[in-house]
C-alpha cells in the first residue's frame, strides 16, 4: 500500500481497528462512522459504563476498555456501532414508554409467545417510538412513518498521521459536505512529503541526464549530472523530500502497445508503481496524458529542422551595385535621360536662359566677299616665315570676325550637368532661368535622397558575409526533392507529422512513409547522418536538442522556427497527490528565473557549450579585393574606353586637318598657276611635304633665306 492507493471502507466500525501500520504510508483510506468517539455524550456514556462495570468487577465488552499507546489510532472512548445502536434503542424504548405512561395507565399482563394474543398497548408504544425524537450515541434519532430511521448523519473520516480525522459529513437530504478546504488539503500533502524518499525514473540523454566522468567510482545519485539532476534537486529543496535516481529498464520513454494494452518505458514504470515520478525530456502528449498525470511544463519547445550550416557566399565583384535593385538602377538611368532632355528642351525654349560666351573666329575673305579661312599659325608658317599671309594683287584677302552663338544648356552640357549632379560633383554651367533652376533643384533633391540611401546600405553589402542556404523553412523542404529529410522512427516528432492536418506537414509525412530509409533509430544517429551527407539530409527533432547540438557542432544550424508548440513535464502516476505540490514548485522556480539559469548552464556553458558562438569583431572588417574589385574594374574599363574615344577623336581630327590642307593645296595651286615655273616647282616641292603628317616648312624657309 502506497500513496497511490485509495480505499473506501464500508464498515462503520473502522474507528475500532488499529491503523498504526498504515497511517505513515500515505495511503488514502476513507470511511464513514455513525459514532463519534470525541463526542461529549459518547465519552460520558462510556465513562459511566466503565465505572459500572468496574464496580461489579466485570469485563468491559468494547474497545475502550484500555487506553492504548500514544501512537495508537484507536480512541479510548471508542465503542462499536452495534453497541451504540443498542444503547440508543434501549434509550428510545424507555422514552417512548415513559411518554405512553404519561398519556394513559399501563397495565402489564403475562403473554404467551405461542398465542396470537398481543399486548393492548403495543401499537400505541410503537407509535410513540416513531414520534419520539432524541439525541443518542449515534446522533439524532428519528423515524419516518414506515418505521425507518430518517435524518441521520454520517461522519466522513480519513486516516492521517494523527489517526482518523473527520473531513466532512453525509446527510440524507444534502449528501456529502466536506469541511476541509484546499489550503488544508495542500498543506497535508506537502507535510506528507517531508523526509519521504521518492523513486525518480529517467533516461540518459544529453544534457538532461549524463554520467559523470568519474561515475565508475561513485554510487547513487552522485553518478549523474545534468539539467534533470539540478531540477529535481531544486524541487526537493522546496518540498523537503528525498529522491533516488533510477534509470529506466528498457531504455524507452514510453509508448502504448495496442496489441498488449500496456505501456513500456518510463510511463510503464509509473503505472507499475516502480517509480514515483518521471523526470526527463518527456513530451506531454494527449496519448500519454490518458495513461499518467503530468505537471505543468518546465520547458517549452517545438519541432524544428536540423541542417548543415550553409557555406558563406563570396562577395560579388559588383557588390557596390547591390544596395539598389536592378529595377531601381534602370529607373535612375531613365530619370537621368528624361531630366537631361527636359532640361535641354526648356533651356532652348526659355527666353531667360542667357546664351554662352560669344566665340569669335577671324576669317579671311576676298574682295568679292568669298570667305577663305580663319587665321591659323600653321597656315602662316607654311606660306611665310614671318607669320604673315602672302596675298597677291588679284586676291587681296580681308579679315572679318565671325561670331557663333549657342545656348548655355546645349545637349552635351545638359547631360553633363545632370550627370555631375547625380555624382555629387560641381560644374561651371549653372541654370539661370527660374524653370531650369526648378528642374535643377528637384534633381538635386532626388539625388540627395538616392545617394543617402545608397551610402547607408553600401557598408552592409560590402562588409557582411551572406550565407547561401537551399532551404529556409519547412515549406522549402517540402517543395524540393533533392534534400532528404526524416525523424526518429516511432517518436513524438514522427507522430506529429503523422497526425498533422496541415497540408505541408501531411505532404512531408507522405514523403517519409514512401522513403522509410529517411527514419533513424535515435537522435544521435540523425545528427551523424546530417553531418555525413553534407547538405543532402535534414533531420527533424525537438528544438531543445537542436539548440544543444548547434552550440557544440559548429557545422550544424537550425532552419526556420518551431513547427508546433509543446512542453516537457514531470510524469506522475494517475491521481497522484504530489502533482499539485510539484507543479507549484516548478512555477516557483520559473518565476524566480531558476529554470532559465539551469538551461543557460547546461546548454551554453557546461560540456563544451558556447563553442560555436560568433565573437563580434572589435572594429570594422577590412575590405578585400573581392569586395571592391568591381569598382577598380569599372575604372579600368572606363579609362580604356576613354582612350579608345580619344584615339577616335584624334583620327577624326587628323582626317579633318588633312582634308583642310588638301583644300588649301588646291586653292594655292590655282593661285600660283599663273606664276613662273620656278615658283611652280617650289610649290610642288612644298605640296609633297605638306600633304602627310610630319611635314616641315623649315627647310623651304631656310633655303629661301640662304638663297637671299
Amino acid at each position: 500500500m502506497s500513496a497511490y492507493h485509495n480505499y473506501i471502507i464500508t464498515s462503520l466500525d473502522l474507528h475500532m481497528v488499529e491503523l498504526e501500520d498504515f497511517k505513515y504510508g500515505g495511503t488514502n483510506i476513507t470511511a464513514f462512522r455513525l459514532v463519534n468517539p470525541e463526542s461529549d455524550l459518547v465519552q460520558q456514556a462510556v465513562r459511566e459504563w466503565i465505572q459500572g462495570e468496574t464496580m461489579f468487577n466485570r469485563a468491559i465488552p468494547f474497545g475502550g476498555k484500555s487506553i492504548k499507546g500514544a501512537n495508537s489510532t484507536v480512541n479510548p472512548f471508542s465503542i462499536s456501532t452495534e453497541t451504540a445502536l443498542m444503547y440508543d434503542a434501549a434509550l428510545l424504548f424507555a422514552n417512548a414508554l415513559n411518554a405512553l405512561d404519561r398519556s394513559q395507565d399501563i397495565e402489564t399482563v403475562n403473554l404467551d409467545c405461542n398465542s396470537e394474543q398481543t399486548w393492548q398497548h403495543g401499537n400505541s408504544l410503537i407509535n410513540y417510538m416513531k414520534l419520539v425524537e432524541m439525541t443518542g450515541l449515534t446522533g439524532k434519532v428519528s423515524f419516518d412513518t414506515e418505521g425507518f430511521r430518517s435524518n441521520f448523519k454520517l461522519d466522513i473520516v480519513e486516516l492521517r498521521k494523527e489517526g482518523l480525522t473527520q473531513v466532512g459529513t453525509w446527510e440524507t437530504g444534502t449528501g456529502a459536505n466536506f469541511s476541509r478546504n484546499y489550503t488544508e488539503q495542500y498543506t497535508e500533502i506537502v507535510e506528507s512529503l517531508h523526509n519521504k524518499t521518492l523513486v525518480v525514473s529517467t533516461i540518459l540523454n544529453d544534457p538532461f541526464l549524463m554520467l559523470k566522468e568519474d561515475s565508475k567510482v561513485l554510487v547513487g545519485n552522485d553518478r549523474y549530472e545534468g539539467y534533470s539532476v539540478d531540477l529535481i534537486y531544486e524541487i526537493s529543496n522546496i518540498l523537503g523530500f528525498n529522491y533516488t535516481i533510477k534509470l529506466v529498464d528498457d531504455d524507452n520513454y514510453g509508448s502504448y502497445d495496442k496489441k498488449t494494452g500496456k505501456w513500456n518505458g518510463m510511463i510503464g514504470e509509473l503505472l507499475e508503481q516502480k517509480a514515483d515520478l518521471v523526470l526527463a525530456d518527456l513530451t506531454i502528449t494527449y496519448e500519454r496524458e490518458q495513461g499518467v498525470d503530468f505537471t505543468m511544463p518546465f520547458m517549452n519547445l517545438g519541432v524544428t529542422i536540423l541542417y548543415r550550416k550553409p557555406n558563406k557566399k563570396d562577395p560579388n565583384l559588383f557588390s557596390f551595385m547591390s544596395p539598389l535593385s536592378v529595377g531601381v538602377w534602370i529607373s535612375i538611368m531613365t530619370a537621368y535621360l528624361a531630366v537631361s532632355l527636359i532640361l535641354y528642351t526648356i533651356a532652348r525654349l526659355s527666353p531667360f536662359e542667357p546664351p554662352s560666351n560669344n566665340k569669335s573666329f577671324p576669317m579671311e575673305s576676298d574682295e568679292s566677299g568669298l570667305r577663305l579661312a580663319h587665321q591659323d599659325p600653321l597656315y602662316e608658317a607654311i606660306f611665310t616665315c614671318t607669320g604673315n599671309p602672302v596675298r597677291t594683287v588679284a586676291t587681296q584677302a580681308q579679315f572679318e570676325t565671325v561670331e557663333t552663338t549657342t545656348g548655355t544648356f546645349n545637349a552635351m552640357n545638359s547631360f553633363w550637368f545632370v550627370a555631375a549632379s547625380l555624382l555629387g560633383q560641381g560644374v561651371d554651367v549653372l541654370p539661370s532661368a527660374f524653370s531650369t533652376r526648378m528642374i535643377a533643384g528637384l534633381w538635386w533633391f532626388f539625388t540627395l535622397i538616392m545617394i543617402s540611401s545608397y551610402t547607408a546600405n553600401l557598408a552592409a553589402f560590402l562588409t557582411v558575409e551572406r550565407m547561401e542556404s537551399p532551404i529556409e523553412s519547412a515549406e522549402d523542404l517540402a517543395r524540393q526533392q533533392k534534400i532528404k529529410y526524416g525523424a526518429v522512427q516511432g517518436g513524438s516528432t514522427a507522430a506529429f507529422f503523422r497526425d498533422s492536418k496541415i497540408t505541408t506537414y501531411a505532404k512531408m509525412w507522405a514523403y517519409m512513409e514512401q522513403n522509410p530509409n529517411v527514419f533513424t533509430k535515435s537522435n544521435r544517429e540523425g545528427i551523424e547522418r546530417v553531418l555525413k551527407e553534407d547538405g543532402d539530409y535534414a533531420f527533424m527533432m525537438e528544438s531543445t536538442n537542436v539548440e544543444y547540438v548547434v552550440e557544440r557542432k559548429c557545422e550544424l544550424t537550425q532552419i526556420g522556427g518551431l513547427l508546433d508548440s509543446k512542453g516537457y513535464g514531470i510524469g506522475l502516476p494517475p491521481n497522484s497527490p504530489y502533482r499539485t505540490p510539484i507543479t507549484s514548485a516548478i512555477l516557483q522556480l520559473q518565476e524566480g528565473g531558476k529554470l532559465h539559469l539551469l538551461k543557460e548552464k547546461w546548454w551554453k556553458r557546461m560540456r563544451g557549450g558556447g563553442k560555436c558562438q560568433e565573437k563580434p569583431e572589435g572594429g570594422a572588417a577590412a575590405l578585400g579585393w573581392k569586395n571592391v574589385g568591381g569598382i577598380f574594374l569599372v575604372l579600368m574599363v572606363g579609362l580604356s574606353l576613354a582612350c579608345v574615344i580619344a584615339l577616335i577623336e584624334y583620327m577624326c581630327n587628323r582626317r579633318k586637318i588633312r582634308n583642310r590642307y588638301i583644300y588649301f593645296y588646291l586653292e594655292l595651286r590655282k593661285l600660283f598657276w599663273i606664276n613662273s615655273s620656278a615658283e611652280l616647282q617650289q610649290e610642288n616641292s612644298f605640296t609633297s611635304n605638306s600633304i602627310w603628317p610630319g611635314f616641315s616648312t623649315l627647310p623651304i624657309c631656310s633655303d629661301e633665306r640662304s638663297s637671299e
Side-chain angles (χ1 to χ4, degrees):
M1 298 176 65
S2 64
Y4 311 114
H5 294 89
N6 299 278
Y7 296 94
I8 296 180
I9 307 301
T10 58
S11 173
L12 298 179
D13 287 330
L14 183 64
H15 60 282
M16 301 294 295
V17 180
E18 180 60 60
L19 302 174
E20 175 67 21
D21 297 335
F22 306 101
K23 67 179 182 179
Y24 296 107
T27 304
N28 183 14
I29 299 177
T30 305
F32 298 93
R33 70 184 180 187
L34 191 59
V35 181
N36 184 6
E38 298 178 358
S39 171
D40 295 336
L41 183 61
V42 173
Q43 292 184 4
Q44 181 181 357
V46 171
R47 288 192 187 97
E48 292 177 356
W49 199 341
I50 292 175
Q51 290 177 358
E53 297 298 315
T54 303
M55 183 181 300
F56 294 100
N57 294 323
R58 291 194 295 258
I60 302 175
F62 50 87
K65 59 184 177 182
S66 62
I67 300 177
K68 303 292 181 181
N71 294 327
S72 175
T73 60
V74 180
N75 192 294
F77 298 100
S78 296
I79 59 175
S80 65
T81 303
E82 184 180 4
T83 302
L85 289 174
M86 293 179 63
Y87 180 89
D88 289 346
L91 184 60
L92 176 64
F93 180 81
N95 290 336
L97 187 61
N98 186 29
L100 180 63
D101 183 57
R102 288 197 302 267
S103 62
Q104 54 182 310
D105 294 335
I106 300 176
E107 296 179 358
T108 58
V109 295
N110 294 327
L111 297 175
D112 186 2
C113 295
N114 295 324
S115 66
E116 296 180 357
Q117 184 180 2
T118 60
W119 187 39
Q120 60 179 350
H121 302 290
N123 291 330
S124 299
L125 181 60
I126 292 175
N127 291 332
Y128 269 103
M129 292 178 64
K130 293 179 181 180
L131 296 176
V132 170
E133 292 185 0
M134 53 167 275
T135 301
L137 300 183
T138 59
K140 183 180 179 180
V141 179
S142 63
F143 297 90
D144 57 13
T145 57
E146 300 292 333
F148 294 100
R149 187 168 178 174
S150 63
N151 298 328
F152 63 93
K153 182 174 67 174
L154 297 176
D155 294 336
I156 302 175
V157 294
E158 287 185 358
L159 180 62
R160 299 181 183 174
K161 294 180 180 180
E162 301 81 10
L164 289 175
T165 304
Q166 181 177 346
V167 296
T169 59
W170 183 91
E171 298 183 18
T172 55
T174 60
N177 181 23
F178 290 90
S179 58
R180 180 179 56 178
N181 56 32
Y182 175 80
T183 303
E184 293 177 352
Q185 184 178 5
Y186 177 79
T187 303
E188 293 172 3
I189 296 175
V190 173
E191 290 178 353
S192 67
L193 277 172
H194 289 172
N195 298 323
K196 189 172 185 177
T197 301
L198 301 180
V199 178
V200 181
S201 178
T202 185
I203 190 171
L204 291 173
N205 185 28
D206 299 348
F208 292 92
L209 186 72
M210 301 172 286
L211 290 172
K212 293 182 179 179
E213 295 179 356
D214 54 347
S215 60
K216 295 182 179 180
V217 298
L218 300 175
V219 295
N221 299 338
D222 295 335
R223 296 176 297 166
Y224 308 104
E225 66 178 359
Y227 181 89
S228 299
V229 177
D230 290 352
L231 180 58
I232 192 63
Y233 174 79
E234 296 293 338
I235 295 175
S236 65
N237 285 342
I238 295 175
L239 299 179
F241 63 85
N242 301 319
Y243 59 90
T244 300
I245 297 177
K246 171 188 176 298
L247 294 179
V248 62
D249 296 334
D250 58 2
D251 199 28
N252 288 318
Y253 285 88
S255 59
Y256 182 73
D257 189 350
K258 295 182 180 180
K259 295 181 179 180
T260 61
K262 294 183 179 181
W263 289 83
N264 62 3
M266 294 179 287
I267 302 297
E269 291 191 351
L270 284 179
L271 296 176
E272 294 173 4
Q273 298 179 7
K274 295 181 179 180
D276 296 305
L277 56 90
V278 168
L279 179 53
D281 51 330
L282 184 66
T283 307
I284 302 175
T285 63
Y286 172 78
E287 186 179 34
R288 289 171 177 169
E289 188 73 38
Q290 303 305 307
V292 298
D293 289 343
F294 284 95
T295 63
M296 67 165 288
F298 60 83
M299 185 178 295
N300 295 314
L301 64 147
V303 175
T304 189
I305 303 172
L306 180 68
Y307 188 62
R308 192 173 184 87
K309 186 176 293 185
N311 298 324
K312 293 183 178 180
K313 180 181 179 181
D314 293 333
N316 187 5
L317 188 62
F318 295 96
S319 58
F320 64 90
M321 299 187 67
S322 300
L324 302 179
S325 64
V326 177
V328 175
W329 283 114
I330 294 175
S331 300
I332 292 176
M333 295 305 299
T334 304
Y336 165 72
L337 296 175
V339 172
S340 300
L341 294 175
I342 292 173
L343 181 62
Y344 169 70
T345 304
I346 293 180
R348 292 292 300 271
L349 297 177
S350 176
F352 301 101
E353 190 66 41
S356 62
N357 296 329
N358 296 332
K359 297 182 179 180
S360 300
F361 299 95
M363 304 294 292
E364 295 179 2
S365 62
D366 55 13
E367 293 178 351
S368 62
L370 178 61
R371 185 174 298 170
L372 299 178
H374 62 80
Q375 291 178 332
D376 189 290
L378 183 60
Y379 177 85
E380 303 296 341
I382 292 174
F383 297 101
T384 69
C385 292
T386 61
N388 297 321
V390 177
R391 301 176 181 86
T392 63
V393 177
T395 57
Q396 293 293 328
Q398 296 179 354
F399 286 96
E400 67 176 25
T401 302
V402 180
E403 295 181 355
T404 59
T405 303
T406 57
T408 302
F409 282 97
N410 55 22
M412 184 62 68
N413 287 346
S414 298
F415 280 95
W416 177 250
F417 173 79
V418 175
S421 301
L422 180 61
L423 299 176
Q425 304 300 320
V427 292
D428 295 335
V429 181
L430 295 174
S432 299
F434 180 78
S435 58
T436 53
R437 286 185 177 183
M438 179 179 292
I439 295 174
L442 293 174
W443 178 251
W444 289 341
F445 178 75
F446 172 80
T447 56
L448 173 65
I449 300 301
M450 295 306 300
I451 292 175
S452 301
S453 303
Y454 175 82
T455 306
N457 291 335
L458 181 61
F461 281 91
L462 291 180
T463 58
V464 175
E465 294 182 343
R466 301 184 178 274
M467 311 290 284
E468 286 185 341
S469 178
I471 55 174
E472 297 292 341
S473 62
E475 288 74 13
D476 295 342
L477 200 60
R479 282 193 295 263
Q480 57 82 46
Q481 297 294 331
K482 180 181 178 181
I483 302 174
K484 301 177 182 179
Y485 49 89
V488 175
Q489 189 170 15
S492 59
T493 301
F496 161 73
F497 286 97
R498 180 194 63 201
D499 302 332
S500 178
K501 304 301 181 182
I502 301 176
T503 305
T504 301
Y505 304 153
K507 181 179 179 181
M508 296 174 68
W509 173 250
Y511 168 81
M512 288 186 279
E513 274 192 321
Q514 294 174 1
N515 301 273
N517 59 332
V518 299
F519 289 105
T520 62
K521 296 181 179 179
S522 64
N523 287 337
R524 188 182 302 275
E525 181 182 345
I527 295 170
E528 293 176 352
R529 186 169 178 179
V530 172
L531 290 171
K532 181 180 179 181
E533 299 196 12
D534 193 17
D536 292 334
Y537 182 79
F539 186 63
M540 267 80 70
M541 60 191 301
E542 293 171 343
S543 59
T544 51
N545 293 327
V546 173
E547 293 171 4
Y548 181 80
V549 170
V550 298
E551 286 287 339
R552 288 153 180 81
K553 297 184 181 295
C554 304
E555 304 89 350
L556 302 178
T557 185
Q558 176 180 331
I559 298 296
L562 303 183
L563 306 185
D564 68 338
S565 179
K566 51 191 174 183
Y568 291 149
I570 298 178
L572 297 162
N575 303 319
S576 173
Y578 308 137
R579 176 180 179 178
T580 301
I582 295 178
T583 296
S584 300
I586 293 174
L587 186 60
Q588 182 177 344
L589 293 174
Q590 181 179 0
E591 292 178 350
K594 192 65 178 180
L595 295 181
H596 176 72
L597 294 177
L598 290 179
K599 187 174 181 180
E600 289 288 322
K601 172 184 176 182
W602 290 104
W603 265 256
K604 296 186 177 182
R605 294 201 304 270
M606 304 297 291
R607 295 288 187 104
K611 175 183 177 182
C612 301
Q613 291 182 355
E614 296 183 359
K615 298 180 180 179
E617 298 180 359
L623 299 179
W625 171 254
K626 293 183 179 180
N627 300 101
V628 296
I631 304 175
F632 287 93
L633 181 60
V634 171
L635 178 60
M636 290 186 291
V637 172
L639 292 176
S640 301
L641 184 61
C643 293
V644 172
I645 295 175
L647 181 60
I648 294 174
E649 290 177 346
Y650 173 72
M651 296 300 295
C652 292
N653 188 53
R654 281 185 55 190
R655 185 176 183 86
K656 185 184 298 184
I657 294 175
R658 178 184 177 186
N659 293 336
R660 180 190 302 173
Y661 284 111
I662 292 175
Y663 173 76
F664 290 160
Y665 165 72
L666 296 176
E667 291 294 329
L668 290 174
R669 185 173 182 179
K670 292 178 182 180
L671 291 175
F672 290 102
W673 183 259
I674 60 176
N675 293 336
S676 61
S677 58
E679 292 178 351
L680 184 58
Q681 288 180 352
Q682 185 178 358
E683 178 184 345
N684 292 335
S685 176
F686 161 75
T687 303
S688 62
N689 292 324
S690 61
I691 292 177
W692 304 103
F695 65 89
S696 175
T697 59
L698 294 178
I700 299 175
C701 296
S702 60
D703 292 342
E704 292 177 350
R705 289 175 183 175
S706 61
S707 63
E708 292 177 354

